[in-house]
Amino acid sequence: MNTKRWIALVVAAAVLGISLVINSAFAFLQSGFGEGVDDLMATTQSSISEVVIEEGDFDNRVAVLNVDGVIQDTGEASSLFGTTGYNHSFFMEQLENVKEDDSVKAVVLTVNSPGGGVVESAEIYDKIIEIQEETEKPFYVSMGATAASGGYYIAAPADKIFVNEETLTGSIGVIMQSVNYGELAERYGVDFVTIKSGPYKDIMSATRDMTEDERALLQEMLDDSYESFVDVIEEGRGMTEDEVRAVADGRVMNGRQAVEVNLADDFGFEEDVIEQVKTDFDLGNAEVFQYGASEGLGSLLSMKVNSFFGNDIETQMITKMLTEYSSPRMMYLYGDK
């Protein structure tokens, strides 16, 4: 590596260390100062605000929820490298607020996502179904540039789905990937020693080829998740199993094609979808709002660090290696993780 890369690596590692120290300090303070501080910290961490998009009747409101980025739960604690992308726990909190707030009469869910984790996608889907069944609040979906795989999974139960003609959607299916660099390591004389309690403990190891038995075990798991995906679309879109399977082979499609095969209802941008839900449910004078979160210390430091590093691609790659957990798992995801 050249000097610039070494400097970036050292600085990134140093800031990661500072992040760990700060997170540890918060944990110590939270556990050491009694129930009063615990309550204060909990209140701060769960704070959620509202941003009004259109003024109107406060007793009849339309909530706009946004899923932007990979649908993935990266954990409660955020590091100094945190970004403003998708936050799973925060989004689930928004759904709970929608359920409990009687002034919210309808929801517009905007989706700009290539999908994400099987578990996280199912959690969102289940919560939307719960809200629909218990409150009868309608959900309209506005798809952005991409709403594929898990991005479509969470949209499927909506009362109506709107796309742009160039929206990239579909990619219905499940994927699980790993990297095998065993042959490369062998070429350079690197030997991996693995001690395991059972024959499958190192399944999908990056240091050896997968056996046929291992592949069959994983394929069965993926097939189960695929069947769940098909069932979700059948129920949400009122399609037959054959109709779903005809397009559920992993293919991607644009918005026009999605409307043609009944995966979407109509065309429109976010503002069009808001107006449509207001018209359909007699909410012409409704206040339109979206949720936001107060910026905590971690978020402020994150912005400073990102500003310091800039958008250098080499630094971003180093940051990604230092902060992301890359264990293989099943994903409703279009494209690489």
Side-chain angles (χ1 to χ4, degrees):
M1 293 191 293
N2 59 30
T3 303
K4 180 181 179 182
R5 292 179 179 177
W6 276 114
I7 292 175
L9 178 60
V10 171
V11 174
V15 177
L16 177 62
I18 294 172
S19 175
L20 292 174
V21 170
I22 292 176
N23 287 337
S24 298
F26 273 119
F28 172 78
L29 289 173
Q30 189 173 5
S31 62
F33 284 88
E35 185 176 342
V37 175
D38 286 343
D39 293 341
L40 178 61
M41 291 291 289
T43 300
T44 302
Q45 290 173 353
S46 63
S47 61
I48 185 170
S49 61
E50 295 179 358
V51 179
V52 175
I53 300 174
E54 296 178 17
E55 298 284 351
D57 184 356
F58 184 80
D59 293 323
N60 296 281
R61 304 198 295 164
V62 175
V64 178
L65 308 186
N66 302 289
V67 173
D68 191 357
V70 178
I71 303 169
Q72 187 168 245
D73 189 355
T74 56
E76 295 295 330
S78 61
S79 73
L80 294 182
F81 296 109
T83 65
T84 56
Y86 176 76
N87 183 318
H88 186 65
S89 60
F90 179 57
F91 184 73
M92 295 306 298
E93 187 177 354
Q94 292 178 56
L95 287 175
E96 183 63 29
N97 276 28
V98 163
K99 176 186 173 184
E100 299 298 332
D101 190 341
D102 292 335
S103 71
V104 175
K105 306 302 182 183
V107 181
V108 171
L109 174 62
T110 70
V111 181
N112 186 29
S113 170
V118 167
V119 173
E120 293 91 336
S121 300
E123 189 175 5
I124 294 174
Y125 171 84
D126 289 342
K127 192 65 178 180
I128 291 176
I129 292 294
E130 177 185 315
I131 295 171
Q132 290 173 321
E133 292 180 347
E134 295 186 15
T135 70
E136 298 184 351
K137 295 178 181 180
F139 273 74
Y140 277 24
V141 166
S142 171
M143 290 185 171
T146 303
S149 203
Y152 188 85
Y153 189 104
I154 65 172
D159 296 84
K160 286 185 179 180
I161 297 175
F162 294 80
V163 294
N164 303 315
E165 289 195 4
E166 303 306 322
T167 294
L168 190 65
T169 187
S171 188
I172 299 167
V174 196
I175 191 170
M176 191 175 191
Q177 291 180 315
S178 70
V179 176
N180 183 353
Y181 48 76
E183 186 175 335
L184 177 64
E186 183 179 353
R187 185 181 306 170
Y188 287 94
V190 179
D191 184 27
F192 295 94
V193 178
T194 302
I195 302 172
K196 54 187 180 180
S197 58
Y200 302 115
K201 184 58 181 173
D202 64 339
I203 196 169
M204 287 196 83
S205 169
T207 65
R208 65 172 178 81
D209 292 334
M210 185 183 300
T211 68
E212 290 302 317
D213 286 345
E214 290 172 334
R215 188 176 296 276
L217 285 172
L218 294 175
Q219 187 65 56
E220 183 177 358
M221 292 167 50
L222 265 68
D223 289 344
D224 285 344
S225 294
Y226 172 75
E227 293 298 333
S228 296
F229 205 156
V230 170
D231 291 342
V232 160
I233 299 175
E234 280 186 65
E235 183 174 349
R237 299 300 301 169
M239 299 169 65
T240 67
E241 181 177 346
D242 289 342
E243 288 174 333
V244 175
R245 290 186 183 278
V247 293
D249 52 8
R251 73 181 69 181
V252 291
M253 61 189 75
N254 61 26
R256 177 186 58 78
Q257 293 168 320
V259 171
E260 289 177 356
V261 298
N262 197 32
L263 290 180
D265 296 288
D266 207 344
F267 302 101
F269 295 99
E270 178 182 328
E271 56 269 26
D272 302 317
V273 180
I274 293 173
E275 289 305 312
Q276 190 63 57
V277 77
K278 289 166 69 174
T279 298
D280 291 350
F281 294 92
D282 195 22
L283 297 169
N285 193 38
E287 177 185 274
V288 181
F289 75 98
Q290 63 184 13
Y291 293 110
S294 301
E295 297 293 345
L297 176 61
S299 298
L300 293 174
L301 290 174
S302 173
M303 288 189 291
K304 292 297 184 182
V305 170
N306 288 331
S307 175
F308 175 77
F309 279 140
N311 293 317
D312 181 81
I313 187 66
E314 296 167 353
T315 303
Q316 291 179 26
M317 291 174 64
I318 293 170
T319 299
K320 185 180 179 71
M321 289 187 294
L322 284 171
T323 59
E324 289 194 358
Y325 180 65
S326 58
S327 177
R329 62 175 180 147
M330 291 189 294
M331 305 284 282
Y332 293 137
L333 181 66
Y334 169 66
D336 294 332
K337 178 182 175 182

